[in-house]
């Protein structure tokens, strides 16, 4: 058991149950990895494992969720909207953020255990359970200060979700060896081309024979 989608990218999981949100984002087709939400069977397999891991993190019973074909489609939409929100939050030239609250607002219930500790738990059926859980974990991450560190790779052809553990929260690539190195090389070549154009001497007009 573990965070299947994130581990297949050889990335470390976000701390605690926020890793569920990260894992949902990483179900997308990234590089040579397939879309774990492409079909209902693979989506249910991912969700079953992810819910068990989430429940262990929260010390609660894992909810049983049966996904419909339309529910899987809604999960893909939720995943894409979340990616858009994170990219817009961290990129000044990104388009305006998607209003996830209006599209994905789901209820939750307050559970109080024998020790008097209250917690929010997801409710609903099908994809609604996942949307409810995601909303809960985003709220909790905002309260703890962890939410700004959950990011998507600045390389738009990659967009892997990673948890930024840098001291000043300045990370933009899921891997500096891959996406970061490619971007830096591209920028270096662009600067060299610009410098070469600027230094090229003006050509004198040819003299008449």
């Amino acid at each position: 058991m573990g965070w299947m989608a994130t581990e297949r990218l050889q990335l470390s999981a976000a701390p605690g149950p926020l890793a569920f949100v990260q894992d949902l984002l990483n179900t997308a087709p990234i590089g040579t990895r397939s879309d774990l939400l492409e079909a209902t069977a693979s989506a249910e397999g991912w969700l079953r494992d992810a819910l068990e891991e989430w429940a262990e993190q929260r010390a609660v019973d894992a909810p049983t969720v049966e996904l419909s074909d339309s529910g899987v489609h809604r999960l893909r939409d939720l995943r894409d909207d979340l990616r858009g929100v994170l990219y817009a939050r961290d990129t000044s030239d990104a388009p305006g953020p998607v209003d996830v609250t209006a599209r994905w607002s789901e209820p939750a219930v307050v559970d109080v255990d024998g020790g008097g500790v209250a917690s929010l738990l997801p409710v609903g059926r099908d994809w609604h359970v996942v949307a409810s859980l995601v909303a809960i974990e985003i709220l909790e991450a905002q309260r703890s200060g962890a939410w700004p560190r959950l990011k998507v790779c600045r390389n738009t052809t990659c967009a892997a979700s990673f948890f930024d553990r840098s001291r000043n929260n300045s990370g933009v690539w899921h891997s500096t060896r891959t996406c970061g190195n490619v971007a830096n090389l591209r920028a270096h070549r662009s600067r060299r081309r610009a410098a070469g154009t600027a230094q090229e001497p003006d050509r004198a007009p040819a003299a008449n024979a």
Side-chain angles (χ1 to χ4, degrees):
M1 188 173 59
W3 300 113
M4 177 196 307
T6 297
E7 290 174 359
R8 69 178 182 155
L9 302 177
Q10 299 181 328
L11 292 173
S12 59
L18 178 61
F20 182 91
V21 181
Q22 179 189 19
D23 215 53
L24 172 61
L25 289 165
N26 284 333
T27 59
I30 298 172
T32 59
R33 280 75 171 185
S34 61
D35 188 345
L36 295 179
L37 303 184
E38 182 176 4
T40 302
S42 60
E44 286 185 330
W46 164 78
L47 182 58
R48 180 176 58 251
D49 289 349
L51 285 175
E52 288 179 0
E53 187 67 31
W54 171 83
E56 183 174 325
Q57 295 285 339
R58 281 288 179 205
V60 297
D61 293 332
T64 300
V65 180
E66 293 185 7
L67 291 173
S68 63
D69 292 345
S70 61
V72 174
H73 179 76
R74 295 301 298 272
L75 283 186
R76 291 196 297 266
D77 287 345
L78 172 59
R79 179 186 67 192
D80 294 344
D81 283 353
L82 285 173
R83 178 180 289 108
V85 167
L86 292 180
Y87 191 77
R89 182 196 66 189
D90 298 330
T91 311
S92 59
D93 60 351
V98 176
D99 187 356
V100 172
T101 302
R103 292 186 59 180
W104 303 105
S105 180
E106 295 293 334
V109 296
V110 178
D111 178 74
V112 182
D113 64 17
V117 177
S119 58
L120 290 173
L121 295 179
V123 294
R125 299 174 56 190
D126 203 343
W127 64 272
H128 297 277
V129 179
V130 182
S132 177
L133 192 158
V134 165
I136 290 169
E137 296 309 337
I138 289 175
L139 176 63
E140 294 295 339
Q142 287 177 335
R143 290 173 174 170
S144 69
W147 179 241
R149 291 185 174 272
L150 185 64
K151 302 178 178 181
V152 293
C153 183
R154 191 67 59 85
N155 180 359
T156 55
T157 62
C158 169
S161 176
F162 67 100
F163 189 79
D164 187 0
R165 288 179 167 84
S166 64
R167 180 175 299 180
N168 59 353
N169 193 28
S170 60
V172 296
W173 317 110
H174 89 280
S175 170
T176 55
R177 293 190 302 274
T178 55
C179 290
N181 187 51
V182 169
N184 291 334
L185 181 60
R186 187 181 300 118
H188 175 69
R189 289 173 175 170
S190 178
R191 288 193 297 269
R192 287 187 61 183
R193 286 195 298 269
T197 301
Q199 295 174 9
E200 184 177 346
D202 295 334
R203 298 181 181 275
N208 292 327

